[in-house]
Amino acid sequence: MRRIDHRILVGFTLLVALIAILSYLTLFSGTVGLSWSDLSFVSHNDSVESRIFWEIRVPRLVAAVLSGISLAVAGLALQTLFRNPLAGPFVLGISSGASLGVALSLLAGFSFGHFGVLSGAAVGALAVTAIVMTVASRFENSTILLIVGLLLGYFIDALVSLLIMGSDSESLRVYVSWGMGSFGRLTFDGIWIYAVCTLVGVMLLVLSMRYLNAARMGDDFAKNLGVNVRQGRVLVLLGASLLAAASTAFCGPVAFVGIAVPHLAFMLFKTSNHRVLMPASALCGVVLCLAASQFSKIPLNAVLSLVGVPVVLWVIVRGGGIRK
Amino acid sequence: MIDSSKAVLLKCNDLVVGYGHEKALVASPVNFELNAGEVVALLGENGSGKSTFLKTLCGLLAPVAGTVALCDRPLWNSTDAWSARERAKFVTLVRMSGVSCDRMTVREFISLGRTPYAGLFDGRSKEDEGVVDEALALLELEKFSGRWLTELSDGERSRVYLAQAVAQQVKVLLLDEPNAFLDIPRSRKLFALLQKLAKERGMGILVSTHSVEYAEKYCDRIMVIEKGCVRCEMAKEARAKGLLDWTEE
């Protein structure tokens, strides 16, 4: 036990240190270098440095941190719920729902109020979440839910294809750009909404800790341990959907983090206890997203896959002795 | 030593089990009591309904008809019924097959037995860790503690499953073919351990098995499910009363 505790301590310390370094780089380095010694721009004023700091760098840092937390934690919870290592926040069709909302806004000219595209993505994601929750309340079997989510995704993707067919090239360009993902779209106004959504989503998952730990061995096993499986499943779905919806709305469809990071966290911490794995996944997600945010000129999904895939593969191959 | 007086821990009245009336596996109503300090063997052919019967007794499956009560308190359909968590502190079902998590160590798995006692955030106290250590020692699993569950042989995994149930500290232990994957010495040890747990901890144990020899030697009573009917006799008298005739057909 002592060895495991030592591993956890070292792991968390390293991740926090990495986050601190990457946060510093996100805030102070870039095309316009901001000086750490002269922090006058930190106080709100009209200088170029101050505007770059408050309107670009801080929202980008917050977007990367919140996305890392939401996508990784949602991915972990869904992989546990479905007992499927390929599950992620996007298997339930939530990403497709958000894409439909954005497509309706950008390609079909629907207005979704003050936040425009963001509201469109949120409405689409939440609509799919509502359908998934309805299915979840009727069927006990998680596999059915997984199939319904995938089918829903295909159906919505077909609808988006129809919208794409009838759209002009400028709208299409904006839509494709949204689909590539970015941490640069979050505005200062949106930070609070994104933060509250993330907090509520994470809280719902933390409240399901007993379910998540027991559900790894199956629903019957969890029931035998006195866990309220139905309630746990609804809380996990609601929390993960909220996290995925918020992240998709503010940063676009970023699938890689949710699928890969829980595996990365497991390989680093060698435990499947969600009391460790959940914060570990959150921190790993933040590290990955902050690292990707350093390449702000390249589409986010491309950076995450180009940088993330080799790293995750390396960790998995190195930890491959775990289970033949 | 805990007093192992004949307190009734589990009682079923006119119990019919199965998946709906049309699919009732044990269609003839069962009246049965499981007492503290005794081990009862549950025998029957494959598909006779042993596992369904056990699932109904531990509250995982609702009865088709009749009632199941733990310490005179009903499991189902009553304002006084057991809550899921309280029930899990009193009765558990150990199964040797089913889902197996490939990312869990033996200790982590046995520690899941403490889930009914854990708080909202599923933490484990020092006392919980002590109970897990005790379960590991009882089943001679200390050296496997840090191994992955999927690296174990079927026999080793059977002992881990039983250790998890021991860590759950229940009064009624239901086991579904616990020696299916065990060699002869381990099977004998297992039945001796069940006898010890029943006597020393005042537990009531119902164990389904195909090992007639162990049932007769180590169990107090033998219960047989045959053609949808249940019969139960003292182990020493079971053969004489024809309860085991089906095994020689």
Side-chain angles (χ1 to χ4, degrees), chain B residues 10 14 51 109 147 153 170 182 216:
Chain B
L10 181 147
D14 299 327
S51 301
F109 178 76
R147 293 260 300 271
S153 70
V170 289
L182 295 182
E216 286 185 290

Side-chain angles (χ1 to χ4, degrees), chain B residues 2 40 161 187 194 217 229 235:
Chain B
I2 294 167
V40 178
Y161 287 161
S187 289
L194 293 181
K217 189 173 176 185
C229 296

